[in-house]
Structure formats: structure tokens, C-alpha cells
């Protein structure tokens, strides 16, 4: 093999390592952010003892989870009990691979701000998310505990139902772009700043709200956190898990939140593109110009993470029949209507 | 590179299919089937059918097999018992399978020159190409198929509905 291949491999491995480390750090600090923000919403301080503003709390939590005893109950089905958290975490970490973090910067023919640009990037994310439900389903079943099983059943039913609305919601965006590659979806929106984002300029706000609701349900977050409803199911599917296996589910949940926020940013809010378009003159050198899009991207993702926490602190949990009714009777028809209206609009524009 | 991947995932596919038959617990069989489906998706990808690969993962591994495991979990199905197998299977099944395999092998080997060839990783059918074929050249069959599936869904609902 020629040297180009080995260079490509080396750069790719470095990119993967950097992204995974940043993602896991972001996961740890999203947990802290959630505890702080929910604390403020509930009129208390949240973690404030470890380090300034509790900033070292994630380290303490991590050390605690590592050092705890790893209990495996006697009557679990061991192979699947051990496999389930691995499936959950690896699926949660994988989908970040197709996310473009910044404007394409080529170095030796490799894009530095995206691990890989797949033609079907959006479908890859949907596929990995849909496989991720096995982690929850198998953990609940293999635990041999009725609460876990009920939690897992709820999770599977919920994810299958809302996946449909989620998939239909993004069709409008795909039609406007004419591509499933996330890089193309962003670069189409990067022309006129805020006005060319799919949310504002593309009139995809209906699709955006459907996507957001469905994505909250997909990640099992409040107000759709029925799989782990404490008052009904103890802790749901991870009742029997402890130590690092529990931490893996926990990390998977927050990594999924980050992925969902990234995808919402990419599809509806212009990804790395600046909201001001070309109004602001290009200042600074090459490095600043390369890092500015990453800043915008991170800012938008942070906004969505904050929204996640805000919603959790505000809304009560759905009842199960309400959840199913909302998914099938409201979100799916509205998503289909959005596709029809968008395609009519595009057909009129194309004449 | 493509050939190595082909052999790895081809082997995984066959191993998953064998494991599906040999496992005694239905949930292990269902999981083996997921391995088979996902490996098939990789084989599609190697042949350049990227949309088909993604659809395979989303539809089969992600939706249909979740329903399978869902039902197994809901019914709390236990392990199957091992039996000695029926006499009919020994009498007719194995010779029948052997004959079928022999026939297929004979046909494929004797007519191998008239088949076309597909090189791994040589060409790529993009989603745009696929949709042009489906929505332009084959629009009528495509729509008729979708109506057929819709009728099948309605039929399933009608059969499963409780009488009022």
C-alpha cells in the first residue's frame, strides 16, 4: 500500500481519538450542567462542593462509579446482561462519526473537522440509533426483573413508534437539499446566514418541532422518560445494574442527547454556519477562520442541550397511552403533511 | 481490502445463520438473525448499494427484529426442548437438500460463463440514481407495490381488530 493510505489511516485514528475524548468529556460535563440547571430551576444550588462551582464533580462521580463493586445478580442471563451496556454505549458513540463539526478544511486530502463524510450520513445516524434500542431491550430482559422488563418493553415500543415520526420529519430537509450527506445539508444552508437555515428560510419549523419531540422520545428523556419512570418502575431497565455497567447506560443516554442536538443543529440550524452569513468580515488568520465555524456549531449544540435540561425541569411525564397517541395520531400525520406541503412548494418553485 | 471485508462479513453471516438454527433459546436465535441482517447490509455496501444497506439496517435490524425481540420478551418464551427430529426429515429432507444443492451447484458451474460479473467496490449506486429509477422509469410498479403493502397492512388490522 502507498503512503497516502497510511497517512489517511493515521489522521483518521487521531480524529477518532480526539472526538471520542471530547465527546466523553462533554458527556461528563453535560451531566454537571444538568444537575446545576435543574438545581437552579428547583430553587437550589446543585453540586457546589467539589472544585469551584462544582466543576470537578464529574471527576468525583467517575472515580466513584469506577470504584464501586460490580454486582451481577444471580439469576440474570449473563451473556446478554454484560453485552447490553456495551451495545448501548457503542451505538451512542458511533453516530458522531458522520457529524461535520466545522467548515471543511482539507489537509493531505483529509477533512479535518469530520471523521468521515458518508453519502448516506443521515441514514447512518438513523440506522445506528435504531440499533441502539437493543441495548435497552436486552438489558431489561436479561436482568430477570419485572421492573426492568417493563422498562425495556416501554422503551422498545416507544423508540419504534417515534422513529417513524423522526424519519418522516427529516424528509423535508432532505428534499430541500437533494442529498443525504450531512456535509451537503450544511453547505446548502451556509449561503445567507440565518435566512438560509432550514428552520427560518426553508420553512421547516414544523419538521423541526416534530424532530425535536420525536428525538426526546428516542433518547428516553423527560417528558418521555417512561422506560425509567422512578415512581412506577424503580429505575426501569437499569435497575439491576451497578458500577461501570450502570455508568455505561448513563453515558450512552447523554451521548445520545449530544448526537441528537448535533443532528438538530445540522439539519435545521445550519450546522457550523454563522447566523450572520457574510455580514461580518473575515477577521483573523487561517486558524481563526477554521475554528470560528466550530465555535458556532458548539454554541448551537449547547443551546439544544440546555433546552433538553430546561424541558426536563419544566414538563411532567406523559402517561403511556398519551405517549402512543401523540406519536401515532399527531406527529406522524403532521410529518406526512409537512412532506406533502414541502414537495408542492418545491414543485411550484421549480416551474 | 474489499475482499477481506467480504470474507469477514460473509463468514459472520453464515455463522449467524448457523447459530440461529443451533441455539435453543429464541432470544439468542433472534440476536443471531440480527447479526445476519447487519452483515448482509455490509455486503450490500461492498457491492455499492449504499441506500439498500442503510434501509436494511433501519428496517430489518432496527424495526422488524426489535418487534421480534419485543414479542419474545413479552411472551417470556423459554428454551426449546431438543428432540431427535422426525423420521420424514431423515428420509426425505436430507436427500432433498443434497439434491437441491447438487442441482444448483451444477447449474452455476456449468453456466458460469453466461453470468455477468460484479466486482466488489467497483461502482456505486447513489441514492439519487436509485430514486431516478424508482420514481421515473419504474414509477407505476413502485406505486402499485406500495398500494399492495398498504392493503396488506389494512388486512392485518382488519384481522386483528376486536369485534364490537
Amino acid at each position: 500500500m502507498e503512503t497516502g493510505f497510511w497517512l489517511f489511516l493515521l489522521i483518521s485514528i487521531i480524529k477518532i481519538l480526539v472526538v471520542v475524548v471530547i465527546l466523553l468529556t462533554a458527556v461528563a460535563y453535560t451531566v454537571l450542567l444538568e444537575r446545576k440547571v435543574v438545581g437552579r430551576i428547583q430553587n437550589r444550588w446543585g453540586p457546589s462542593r467539589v472544585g469551584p462551582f462544582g466543576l470537578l464533580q464529574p471527576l468525583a462521580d467517575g472515580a466513584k462509579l469506577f470504584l464501586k463493586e460490580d454486582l451481577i445478580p444471580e439469576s440474570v442471563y449473563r451473556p446478554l446482561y454484560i453485552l447490553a451496556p456495551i451495545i448501548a454505549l457503542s451505538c451512542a458513540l458511533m453516530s458522531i462519526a458522520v457529524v461535520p463539526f466545522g467548515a471543511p478544511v482539507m489537509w493531505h486530502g483529509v477533512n479535518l473537522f469530520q471523521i468521515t463524510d458518508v453519502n448516506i450520513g443521515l441514514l447512518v445516524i438513523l440506522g445506528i440509533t435504531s440499533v441502539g434500542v437493543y441495548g435497552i431491550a436486552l438489558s431489561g430482559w436479561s436482568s430477570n426483573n419485572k421492573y426492568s422488563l417493563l422498562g425495556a418493553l416501554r422503551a422498545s415500543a416507544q423508540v419504534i413508534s417515534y422513529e417513524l415520526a423522526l424519519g418522516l420529519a427529516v424528509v423535508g430537509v432532505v428534499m430541500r437539499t437533494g442529498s443525504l450527506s450531512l456535509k451537503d445539508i450544511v453547505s446548502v444552508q451556509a449561503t445567507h446566514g440565518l435566512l438560509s437555515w432550514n428552520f427560518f428560510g426553508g420553512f421547516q419549523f414544523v419538521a423541526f418541532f416534530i424532530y425535536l419531540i420525536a428525538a426526546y422520545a428516542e433518547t428516553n428523556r423527560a417528558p418521555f422518560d417512561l422506560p425509567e419512570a422512578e415512581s412506577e418502575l424503580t429505575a426501569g431497565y437499569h435497575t439491576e445494574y451497578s458500577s461501570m455497567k450502570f455508568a455505561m447506560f448513563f453515558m450512552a443516554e447523554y451521548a445520545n442527547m449530544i448526537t441528537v442536538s448535533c443532528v438538530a443543529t445540522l439539519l435545521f440550524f445550519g450546522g457550523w454556519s454563522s447566523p450572520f452569513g457574510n455580514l461580518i468580515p473575515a477577521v483573523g488568520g487561517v486558524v481563526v477562520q477554521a475554528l470560528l465555524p466550530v465555535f458556532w456549531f458548539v454554541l448551537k449544540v449547547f443551546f439544544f442541550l440546555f433546552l433538553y435540561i430546561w424541558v426536563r425541569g419544566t414538563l411532567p411525564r406523559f402517561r403511556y397511552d398519551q405517549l402512543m397517541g401523540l406519536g401515532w395520531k399527531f406527529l406522524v400525520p403532521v410529518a406526512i403533511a409537512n412532506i406533502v406541503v414541502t414537495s408542492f412548494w418545491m414543485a411550484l418553485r421549480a416551474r | 481490502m474489499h475482499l477481506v471485508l467480504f470474507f469477514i462479513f460473509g463468514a459472520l453471516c453464515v455463522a449467524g445463520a448457523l447459530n440461529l438454527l443451533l441455539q435453543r433459546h429464541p432470544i439468542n436465535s433472534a440476536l443471531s438473525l440480527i447479526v445476519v441482517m447487519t452483515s448482509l447490509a455490509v455486503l450490500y455496501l461492498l457491492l455499492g448499494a449504499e441506500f439498500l444497506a442503510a434501509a436494511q439496517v433501519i428496517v430489518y435490524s432496527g424495526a422488524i427484529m426489535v418487534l421480534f425481540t419485543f414479542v419474545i420478551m413479552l411472551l417470556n418464551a423459554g428454551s426449546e426442548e431438543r428432540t431427535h427430529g422426525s423420521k420424514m426429515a431423515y428420509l426425505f429432507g436430507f436427500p432433498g437438500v443434497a439434491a437441491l444443492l447438487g442441482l444448483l451447484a451444477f447449474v452455476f458451474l456449468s453456466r458460469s460463463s453466461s453470468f455477468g460479473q460484479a466486482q466488489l467496490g467497483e461502482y456505486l449506486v447513489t441514492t439519487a440514481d436509485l430514486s431516478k429509477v424508482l420514481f421515473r422509469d419504474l414509477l407505476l410498479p413502485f406505486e402499485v407495490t406500495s398500494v399492495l403493502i398498504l392493503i396488506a397492512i389494512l388486512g392485518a388490522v382488519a384481522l386483528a381488530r376486536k369485534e364490537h
Side-chain angles (χ1 to χ4, degrees), chain A residues 77 80 119 134 141 153 160, chain B residues 28 31 61 65-66 70 73:
Chain A
Y77 185 60
L80 295 185
N119 280 335
Y134 288 113
W141 182 80
L153 289 178
I160 294 180
Chain B
N28 292 342
L31 291 179
S61 321
M65 289 316 295
V66 171
F70 187 83
M73 277 160 43

Side-chain angles (χ1 to χ4, degrees), chain A residues 95 97-100 114 116-123 125 177 179-189 262-263 266-267 272:
Chain A
S95 40
V98 292
V99 170
Q114 186 177 16
T116 171
D117 178 37
V118 193
N119 280 335
I120 45 166
L122 190 54
L123 291 180
I125 288 187
T177 315
S179 168
L180 288 163
S181 152
L182 291 168
K183 198 172 94 184
D184 294 349
I185 290 177
V186 175
S187 37
V188 164
Q189 300 176 67
C262 287
V263 175
L266 294 168
L267 294 185
W272 43 259

Side-chain angles (χ1 to χ4, degrees), chain B residues 46-129:
Chain B
L46 286 174
L47 287 168
E50 48 176 26
F51 183 80
L52 191 61
Q56 170 89 5
V57 171
I58 294 174
V59 175
Y60 284 97
S61 321
I64 292 180
M65 289 316 295
V66 171
L67 279 181
F68 270 50
T69 45
F70 187 83
V71 170
I72 292 171
M73 277 160 43
L74 199 64
L75 298 178
N76 206 6
S79 296
E80 304 275 314
E81 275 181 28
R82 267 200 206 290
T83 59
H84 291 290
S86 68
K87 282 215 174 79
M88 295 295 276
Y90 288 112
L91 267 178
F92 300 105
F94 288 115
V97 167
L100 192 67
L101 277 180
L103 188 67
L104 283 176
F106 173 72
V107 170
F108 282 138
L109 286 177
S110 61
R111 305 229 117 227
S112 61
S113 55
S114 60
F115 293 136
Q117 282 197 338
Q119 286 289 322
L120 287 174
E122 197 171 54
Y123 57 87
L124 182 71
V125 183
T126 61
T127 315
D129 296 338

Side-chain angles (χ1 to χ4, degrees), chain A residues 72-346:
Chain A
I72 297 185
E74 202 173 321
S75 56
V76 299
Y77 185 60
R78 274 182 82 103
L80 295 185
Y81 180 84
I82 294 167
L83 189 67
I86 300 174
I87 295 177
L89 184 62
S90 46
C91 284
L93 294 183
M94 252 197 299
S95 40
I96 206 82
V98 292
V99 170
F101 300 103
V105 174
M106 301 310 260
W107 190 69
H108 287 282
V110 187
N111 188 350
L112 287 186
F113 287 115
Q114 186 177 16
I115 293 178
T116 171
D117 178 37
V118 193
N119 280 335
I120 45 166
L122 190 54
L123 291 180
V124 168
I125 288 187
L126 289 181
I128 293 173
T129 330
S130 63
V131 172
V133 70
Y134 288 113
I136 294 176
L138 294 179
S139 71
W141 182 80
S142 64
S143 293
N144 203 2
N145 171 331
K146 60 187 169 204
Y147 295 127
S148 302
L149 182 66
L150 281 174
L153 289 178
R154 282 182 176 186
S156 327
Q158 179 176 328
V159 170
I160 294 180
S161 310
Y162 277 78
E163 212 167 64
L164 207 64
L166 190 124
L168 289 174
V170 301
V171 170
V173 172
V174 173
M175 282 197 299
R176 276 182 52 79
T177 315
S179 168
L180 288 163
S181 152
L182 291 168
K183 198 172 94 184
D184 294 349
I185 290 177
V186 175
S187 37
V188 164
Q189 300 176 67
T191 44
H192 301 298
L194 201 112
L195 290 175
S196 56
W197 292 357
N198 276 327
F199 183 76
F200 299 107
F203 296 106
Q204 291 297 317
F205 39 80
V206 178
F208 168 72
F209 286 115
I210 295 168
Y211 172 82
L212 205 65
I213 296 171
Y216 280 27
E218 284 261 321
T219 43
N220 298 322
R221 290 283 304 181
F224 304 105
D225 54 347
L226 289 116
E228 40 190 312
E230 299 89 349
S231 48
E232 303 158 33
L233 298 177
T234 322
Y237 58 88
H238 54 56
T239 307
E240 299 286 357
Y241 283 85
S242 56
S243 182
M244 270 324 276
K245 293 202 186 70
F246 167 73
M248 282 164 92
F249 280 118
F250 209 65
M251 290 194 295
E253 182 179 328
Y254 283 84
N256 276 328
M257 274 167 66
I258 293 177
T259 311
V260 160
S261 307
C262 287
V263 175
T265 310
L266 294 168
L267 294 185
F268 299 98
F269 283 80
W272 43 259
S273 68
S274 142
F276 306 112
N278 300 320
L279 285 179
I280 298 181
V283 286
V286 186
V287 178
V288 174
Q289 282 304 309
L291 287 181
L292 205 58
V294 182
F295 165 74
W296 287 118
F297 182 78
V298 171
L299 194 71
K300 291 170 194 170
V301 170
F302 179 81
F303 166 74
F304 280 113
L305 287 176
F306 188 82
L307 193 67
Y308 250 117
I309 297 163
W310 192 1
V311 166
R312 189 205 147 169
T314 314
L315 293 180
R317 192 176 290 132
F318 270 71
R319 219 171 53 216
Y320 195 70
D321 57 319
Q322 288 174 332
L323 172 94
M324 284 296 161
L326 178 77
W328 287 103
K329 292 182 195 155
F330 179 70
L331 292 183
V332 171
V334 174
I336 291 174
N338 177 62
I339 296 174
V340 173
V341 171
T342 310
S343 39
F344 264 117
W345 175 250
M346 286 182 61

